[in-house]
Amino acid sequence: MIPSIWKRYARWLHTRWPAGVVEKLPEVREDGSTNVPGLYITGDLTGIPLLKFAADGGAKVVRRIASDPELEKLRAIEAHDLVIIGAGVSGMAAALEAKRLDLDFVLLEAAEPFATIANFPKGKTIFTYPTDMVPEGELQPTAPVKEELLAQLRAQTIERGIEPRVARAERVRRNGKLLEVALAGADPLLARRVVVAIGRSGNFRKLGVPGEDSGKVFNRLHDPKDFAGKEVLVVGGGDSAMETAIALAQCGAAVTLSYRKAEFSRPKPENIERLEALIADPSADVSIEQPVSERVTTSVGPFLEGYRRPGSVRLMLASRVLAIEEDSVRLRDSNGETVTIPNDTVFSMIGREPPLEFFRRSGVKLRGETVGWEWACVIAFFVAVFLIYDWKNDGWLSHAIPALSRPDAFPQNAPKLLSSLGSWWARHVADRSTVIGTLAVSMKSRSFYYTLFYTLCIGFFGWKRIRRRRTRYVTAQ
């Protein structure tokens, strides 16, 4: 019973509460604004990679911009009301709302509209969560399959006159009261407000193993039918990796899914059920168009040795790729042993690095990144802590400044200072049985101030943490 309780607690702690290294993403306030006045961020970079939230956020941020009285004041200066960077779901939703509100806007896109969805595998099932949510604005993604969803989104945007300008934004910077959007190979644009909706469209993350640059390693799956009968390794533990493995197996590939952790982290329950169905029966129909059960599984069956027939999926949880070779892949399994499996193709589905350089060039603060004066503040804080601790122990500081050790110096004179506040204070300071008398004696000790400083620090940072993440766990902690 007790081990089971601790196991459940550990799972809750590590899958319901963020732990480890803070992911570097732009710091975005609840209204979408950033530390750069007039620059807003919406979509995937706000931390919620769901289509409906992206559409909702894009429409809402433009409504906030349009209702800002400062926007009207800036119209005396020649510039666009709004520049929207990125023509994905969030950017297109923002453009639709800007058009509805009759704003002078420009929509920029470096690739193609809805590029992320366009690069999904053929026939990919799209989960438009939450199912009962209706996003604000005119963009309403509801179609359940890639091709249908793309057609739906294009009908709601491009066919209604929302046409992005093909251009790559390199940075955004303040230009007086306006914002200047620098473009690659073109003149910059002046805008009163800028919305960045580029998603996590940076470079693909690397496995960092020999052979990764060979021609058989891919980061995207376009048509799973091309890999029928192939031995395929899929690396990753997110929904993209799971969906890639499922699509390949359905089209007749023999798939191994490798993930470095022992359990999948917060997967979509549909994907878990489809994987379980394929592991149990490679010929199973796992399209799952009907509603799934409410059961959420966080780990899937064991690694099945020798289960390699076409259409199968086997899992290697807690494993790591060591090297990619011409006709095989070497991995370290959950027991720490090196195994070699036959392989024709590898899909590295471990995500992308956010486009951090764009935000650094634009002066947008990134969470988890300390720069410039912040380092000076951190160093000054630790110097102050050291000096207070040294002063408490009558150390180097007291010897360097003899006046600190005189009998009439602070804090030895604390009772005298309290007494000087008036006769009531003097009477209570002299009476050791009162709170004031006890406090006066305590204030003669340097340890009293060190403890007070420490307690105030703990209280201040605790208060800041509760404000940042209002959960019962943090508050109780």
Side-chain angles (χ1 to χ4, degrees):
M1 173 66 78
I2 292 179
S4 176
I5 292 173
W6 280 110
K7 186 176 181 180
R8 290 201 305 272
Y9 170 74
R11 178 177 296 171
W12 170 81
L13 181 64
H14 291 290
T15 62
R16 303 296 189 273
W17 171 251
V21 178
V22 176
E23 184 178 9
K24 290 184 179 180
L25 290 174
E27 285 195 0
V28 185
R29 305 185 185 105
E30 288 186 10
D31 63 354
S33 62
T34 65
N35 63 295
V36 178
L39 191 153
Y40 294 77
I41 295 175
T42 183
D44 194 4
L45 286 170
T46 61
I48 307 178
L50 296 174
L51 293 181
K52 286 188 176 179
F53 280 98
D56 186 76
K60 284 180 176 177
V61 78
V62 172
R63 289 181 187 177
R64 293 189 193 101
I65 290 171
S67 64
D68 185 356
E70 290 298 317
L71 187 69
E72 189 62 38
K73 295 178 183 178
L74 292 174
R75 285 196 168 128
I77 309 172
E78 185 175 351
H80 297 289
D81 286 331
L82 179 64
V83 170
I84 303 167
I85 304 174
V89 170
S90 196
M92 282 293 202
L96 279 171
E97 195 65 17
K99 182 179 180 180
R100 187 185 71 82
L101 296 171
D102 200 26
L103 298 180
D104 174 14
F105 72 95
V106 177
L107 175 62
L108 303 176
E109 173 55 52
E112 63 173 313
F114 307 111
T116 300
I117 298 172
N119 287 319
F120 285 160
K122 290 182 180 179
K124 172 181 164 64
T125 301
I126 306 295
F127 300 108
T128 50
Y129 289 139
T131 54
D132 57 347
M133 176 186 178
V134 178
E136 297 287 337
E138 299 178 5
L139 192 64
Q140 300 293 323
T142 58
V145 180
K146 168 196 166 176
E147 287 77 12
E148 294 175 16
L149 179 63
L150 267 179
Q152 182 186 65
L153 294 174
R154 287 167 178 163
Q156 294 179 20
T157 55
I158 296 172
E159 294 176 16
R160 293 172 59 183
I162 303 296
E163 191 66 38
R165 172 181 168 182
V166 179
R168 181 177 296 277
E170 295 192 326
R171 69 172 180 276
V172 180
R173 63 184 178 187
R174 295 294 301 179
N175 185 337
K177 294 181 178 181
L178 301 176
L179 290 166
E180 181 181 277
V181 182
L183 304 179
D187 294 334
L189 298 174
L190 283 179
R192 300 178 182 96
R193 296 289 184 267
V194 172
V195 171
V196 179
I198 55 179
R200 305 189 188 199
S201 56
N203 296 325
F204 289 103
R205 290 192 176 101
K206 294 285 189 179
L207 291 169
V209 299
E212 183 174 14
D213 296 325
S214 67
K216 73 174 192 175
V217 180
F218 302 94
N219 302 106
R220 293 173 178 169
L221 173 63
H222 294 286
D223 192 346
K225 293 179 182 177
D226 294 339
F227 302 92
K230 302 285 187 180
E231 293 274 357
V232 181
L233 172 69
V234 179
V235 184
D239 285 305
S240 293
M242 297 168 73
E243 289 162 10
T244 297
I246 292 165
L248 287 164
Q250 282 184 287
C251 291
V255 181
T256 298
L257 178 57
S258 169
Y259 183 41
R260 59 188 176 86
K261 295 183 180 179
E263 292 181 341
F264 293 115
S265 178
R266 292 184 289 275
K268 291 187 177 77
E270 289 91 341
N271 286 333
I272 288 292
E273 293 196 9
R274 296 166 82 186
L275 270 179
E276 288 178 330
L278 280 171
I279 289 171
D281 179 6
S283 63
D285 179 7
V286 293
S287 56
I288 302 187
E289 296 180 359
Q290 70 276 15
V292 298
S293 67
E294 295 182 359
R295 174 177 56 86
V296 178
T297 311
T298 55
S299 62
V300 201
F303 170 55
L304 306 179
E305 291 286 355
Y307 197 67
R308 305 303 307 124
R309 66 180 188 263
S312 64
V313 176
R314 67 177 180 180
L315 297 180
M316 292 188 68
L317 298 177
S319 66
R320 189 177 296 274
V321 178
L322 299 178
I324 299 170
E325 297 166 352
E326 185 177 354
D327 57 0
S328 63
V329 175
R330 282 190 288 116
L331 304 98
R332 180 176 292 116
D333 65 15
S334 58
N335 297 319
E337 298 179 358
T338 300
V339 296
T340 300
I341 62 173
N343 177 261
D344 299 306
T345 304
V346 175
F347 282 93
S348 177
M349 311 300 287
I350 56 176
R352 291 174 175 240
E353 295 290 350
L356 300 181
E357 286 305 317
F358 171 83
F359 293 107
R360 291 188 182 112
R361 290 194 298 266
S362 301
V364 176
K365 184 172 174 53
L366 304 176
R367 71 187 190 198
E369 185 169 270
T370 305
V371 294
W373 63 272
E374 292 178 328
W375 279 115
C377 292
V378 171
I379 293 170
F381 174 78
F382 281 103
V383 169
V385 169
F386 168 77
L387 292 176
I388 293 172
Y389 183 79
D390 180 80
W391 172 74
K392 182 201 74 157
N393 289 308
D394 197 24
W396 170 84
L397 192 65
S398 297
H399 291 87
I401 309 175
L404 294 176
S405 300
R406 290 186 340 209
D408 59 341
F410 183 82
Q412 293 294 323
N413 63 348
K416 184 178 179 180
L417 291 174
L418 287 176
S419 297
S420 67
L421 295 176
S423 58
W424 182 88
W425 286 91
R427 185 171 66 256
H428 283 79
V429 166
D431 185 356
R432 299 292 178 84
S433 65
T434 66
V435 174
I436 300 299
T438 303
L439 181 65
V441 173
S442 300
M443 290 175 67
K444 292 178 66 176
S445 169
R446 293 181 178 183
S447 295
F448 171 84
Y449 300 94
Y450 181 81
T451 304
L452 177 64
F453 174 73
Y454 174 82
T455 304
L456 289 175
C457 283
I458 293 297
F460 173 75
F461 287 115
W463 171 72
K464 292 280 286 184
R465 188 169 183 228
I466 290 171
R467 288 194 62 191
R468 176 167 293 186
R469 189 166 184 86
R470 300 179 185 275
T471 66
R472 287 183 297 174
Y473 172 70
V474 171
T475 304
Q477 192 183 48

